[in-house]
Each structure stands twice: as C-alpha cells, then as structure tokens.
Amino acid sequence: MNFKVISVLTLVLTAFILPSCKKLVEVDGPATSVSSKNVYNNDATAIGAITSLYVNLSNGSPINSQELTGLSCIAGLSADEFDYYSGAGSQTLAVYFQNALNSTNVSNDFWRTIYQRLYVVNEALEGLGSSTKLTPRVKQDLTGEAYFMRAFYYFYLVNLYGDVPLVLSTDYTVNAVIKRSPKVLVYSQIVADLKEAQSLLNDFYLKGDVITAYPVGFEERVRPNKCVATAFLARTYLYMGEWTNAEIQTTNVLTNTTQFHLEPLNEVFLKNSYEAIWQLQPTQNGFNTQEANTFILSAEGPSNGASGNYPVYISNELIKDFEIGDQRKTSWIGSVSVKNTTYYYPYKYRVKYSSVTNAPITEYNTIMRLAELYLIRAESRARLGNLTNAISDIDQIRNRAGLPLVKDTNPNISQEDLLTLILKEKRIEFFTEWGHRWLDLKRTGKVDEVMAKVTPKKSNGGEWKSYQQYYPIWSYELQSNPNLIQTQGY
C-alpha cells in the first residue's frame, strides 16, 4: 500500500494562508518557519495542523472524488439519486454512474486521499501526546478533534471499501505492508476513538483559539465538539446494529434544546443553523458552498457549456419517491426546462459563486444535522419494538415537511412497514447529502434489490453485481503493498 505523505507543514501553512479561514484560525501564525517536528510545540501551528483537515474537506468539490465532500455527488451517482449528463465529458463521473469501476479507472478516488489525511491525524496524535509546550486546554481539545477525525475517516473507508487497513501510527515500515482488517475490528476502533473524543472535547463550540467558547446562539459550528462526537457515535452504533446504544447517544443530543432544534426548510442549510451539528466553513472567496455552484443548473440545463460545468441532475427514481404535498420537493428541488425536457436539481444550497469582493457568506456545507438523529432514533426504537416513540420521532420530520403524521393516519402500523417508511423518509430528507442513500442501501441489505433495477437503466443494459457495492482499489496501491488485496470481485 502506498501511503503518500502530505507534509504536515504544508497543511499547517495552508490553514494559515487561506484568507477566508480567519474564523477557524483566530490566532496569529508563527513568526518564523516551522518544521513538522515542532508543529506540536506551538499552539498556533498545532491548531493549524488540525484545521487543515477541515480546510481540505471544505475545498473538496462535489464532482471531485478525492475529498469526502465529493460523496454528495459520487455516491449519488453510484446509487439512484443522480443521472449523469453524457455531454459533460467526465470519465470519472461516468464510471461511478454506470457502476463500471475497476482497478485501472479509479485512480482519482477517496482511498488515497483519506489515507493521506489519516497520516496527518496519526502524526497529530503522536505529536500532541508527546508535547509539553502546548496550553493544556488546547492540547486536550485538539487531541479530541484528532480522535474524532480518525473515526470520521474510517467510518467512510469501511463503508466504501469493506475491510480496510487499520493504520494507527506513522510507522512506515508497518504501514507499507499492512493488511486489510475485518470490518468488525474497524468499527471497534471507530467506537473507541469516538468515546475518546467525547471524553476530551468541549461541550460548546470553540473559536479559533480552541479555548474560547462561542456565546450560545452565535456559534460557528465548524470545529467538532462533544455533541458532534456523540452524534457520530449514534450513527456508528446504528450501522453496527446496536440499537439501544444508538438510541442513548441520539437522546443525549436531542435533549440539548439550547443548542439544537429543527429549522424551517428554507433555513436548514444556513451558516450556524440551529439544526446544524457540524458544518464546513467556506475557504474560497466568492463561494458559499461548492454544492450550490455545481448542482444548480443554468438555463441550458445539464451541460459543459458557456455557463459552466453542470454534469448531474436528479434522477426520476428519486423524484417519483416524493409524496404528494411534500414541501421538501418544492423547497429543496429546483428545475429548468430545455427543449420540452424538465431537469431537476438539488436546491438545498442556493447561493452560487459571486465575484463580488467580500460578498456575504450565508450558507455552510452541513455534514451532520439534527434531522438525522431523529431518524436514527426512530429506526433504533422501531427495531427495539418501541413503535409509539419511533412514530413520534419520524413525525417530527414529516410535520416539518407538511406531510400527514403517522400517529394520525396509521397509528397501528407494523414494525416492518414502519422501518420501510423510516428508510424512505431518510431517502427523501437526505437526498444528495454525503452519500446517505448509498450507505443506507448497503447497511440495510437492500442494495442488490434496488441496484438490480436501476443499473441496466444507467448503463445501457448492464448487469448489477453485488460486489459493486464496494469500490475497488487503484492497481498502483496493490503494486506498492504486497499484502494488500483487491476488493473482492474486482
């Protein structure tokens, strides 16, 4: 396995140089240059090293499969959320859409980038652990953030690739010949890291100095805190089938009504929304979110024309799953008509690129939000047989969408039917967000059923094969590590 290392120094300086990161890094940079060796002997550079991870995520494009930010598009293409416009000319997007990946056409993938980021995380944990010069509160919180980020990266690795190498140090002699670890061991490490993060992180959202808490109601929700770790632990337990633990963790966040509540549909994705648990702050001048600039179609429709690159649009499979009267369809989906054909696009993020200097930033990319926790708890309760309270949770989401409540229309719904409804609700609520649909199809065992129907439509009669639910590894990675085996089936 080739662990291509990005210098921590480079990432630290990137975090300081980007002008839009001032809120993330509200401390002065070092007066002289630093080396990776002493990054963790200075509060400012240590903060910059961890901040670089968020900067890179924020800079990731939805049509760029290297950063996990690309999941909103890539995983949507792999599943049944997006159609790909063939005239866009992107071979990368085309192979994901057609479910035609192999070891030679996947060189521009998540695998390499995530392991590069994991090197930075592991180096941070080692550097922070041995440092004696950092402010204690800064050291504690940054260590918590590093544990959280390691769990975050491994959660997506194990869900995208299955068994994966579990790299927990920067020792190249070990990492260069490391084997895949079973998924169960990877999940155990994710849980352990998230629990460690919970014990270290602050209850409140912190400013760029990683000491000062934002006043309640004015939080920039861009650095992970205890609630972020708790919410992600709830999701992890759901994926592991540990329903009781998932319910406990979601409740710990849902009862925090001072910091969180559901927002009206047109306010969900605003910066510092009360529904947001964790967001990414824009780092490029003129951009609110990359999603708005990529997904909102011009009057030309999907194209690679004069108005920009608009390679994807919402699939008919997704559009037809909305219930009549669902306000999310009118609020979160836009459309254009071109030559008597209507194309639909995600309109969750609405502010496109502006060339105006210092144009106001009003939207942040939202990684986790409160609605997910209601649906995690609803599913967990339903699987535990607590249907009454599961209905109460799903009705929170349906009420906001303007839909009839289950407690009124079908109070005696069966467990099986309620679980089906919860999963459908999640499909509609989180369409084109961070790969939720693609991952849910796999964890619930429904991927073969769904993809066997949609793959032939996407790939001119191509046949879905179950192993395609996991992505292959680029052949170069296999050549670099003799103990690394290809994803089964490829």
Side-chain angles (χ1 to χ4, degrees), residues 45 120 169 180 228 248 257 281 291 361 381 397 452 476:
T45 53
V120 176
S169 78
R180 289 183 185 241
V228 177
I248 291 170
T257 55
Q281 188 183 90
E291 283 76 7
I361 300 298
R381 286 173 164 176
I397 308 304
Y476 180 72

Side-chain angles (χ1 to χ4, degrees), residues 8-22 24-32 34 39 42-52 55 208:
V8 171
L9 173 59
T10 300
L11 294 176
V12 171
L13 294 180
T14 298
F16 284 119
I17 291 168
L18 286 171
S20 298
C21 293
K22 187 60 177 175
L24 276 172
V25 188
E26 293 177 337
V27 290
D28 292 334
T32 59
V34 295
V39 161
N42 176 283
D43 282 358
T45 53
I47 292 169
I50 300 299
T51 300
S52 70
V55 171

Side-chain angles (χ1 to χ4, degrees), residues 429-442:
E429 179 72 20
F430 292 99
F431 70 90
T432 67
E433 285 186 57
W434 285 85
H436 279 284
R437 170 65 169 174
W438 182 232
L439 302 192
D440 278 341
L441 285 176
K442 293 189 285 184

Side-chain angles (χ1 to χ4, degrees), residues 136-323:
R137 180 65 248 183
V138 171
K139 177 178 178 178
Q140 177 179 328
D141 205 83
L142 290 181
T143 302
E145 290 186 38
Y147 275 116
F148 172 80
M149 289 305 294
R150 189 163 71 181
F152 175 77
Y153 287 125
Y154 270 114
F155 175 85
Y156 285 106
L157 271 175
V158 78
N159 278 284
L160 295 175
Y161 296 94
D163 298 344
V164 295
L166 194 54
V167 180
L168 303 176
S169 78
T170 61
D171 187 341
Y172 180 78
T173 60
V174 173
N175 297 342
V177 292
I178 199 167
K179 298 179 180 179
R180 289 183 185 241
S181 293
K183 288 188 290 184
V184 63
L185 293 182
V186 180
Y187 269 115
S188 293
Q189 185 63 50
I190 293 169
V191 170
D193 283 349
L194 289 172
K195 287 183 175 179
E196 193 68 30
Q198 277 184 316
S199 71
L200 295 169
L201 289 169
N202 201 289
D203 289 323
F204 300 98
Y205 291 98
L206 299 181
K207 296 184 178 182
D209 60 5
V210 196
I211 295 176
T212 309
Y214 282 104
V216 174
F218 299 91
E219 302 99 330
E220 291 278 332
R221 301 170 181 230
V222 295
R223 299 201 80 94
N225 67 358
K226 192 184 298 292
C227 286
V228 177
T230 301
F232 210 81
L233 183 58
R235 182 196 289 181
T236 301
Y237 279 137
L238 179 77
Y239 276 63
M240 296 172 69
E242 296 191 16
W243 320 123
T244 299
N245 284 331
E247 180 183 12
I248 291 170
Q249 297 300 325
T250 52
T251 300
N252 287 339
V253 179
L254 289 169
T255 54
N256 183 358
T257 55
T258 300
Q259 285 185 301
F260 307 105
H261 61 245
L262 294 178
E263 294 274 28
L265 292 175
N266 61 355
E267 298 178 17
V268 170
F269 300 97
L270 297 180
K271 74 171 188 177
N272 310 333
S273 160
Y274 273 101
E275 182 163 338
I277 299 173
W278 184 29
Q279 296 182 307
L280 293 176
Q281 188 183 90
T283 61
Q284 298 184 44
N285 187 43
F287 280 86
N288 278 253
T289 66
Q290 299 278 5
E291 283 76 7
N293 210 50
T294 300
F295 292 153
I296 298 177
L297 298 180
S298 71
E300 300 172 350
S303 68
N304 191 29
S307 299
N309 189 6
Y310 308 106
V312 297
Y313 54 97
I314 293 177
S315 69
N316 289 330
E317 282 76 15
L318 175 55
I319 293 296
K320 69 183 182 183
D321 267 1
F322 281 85
E323 294 179 42

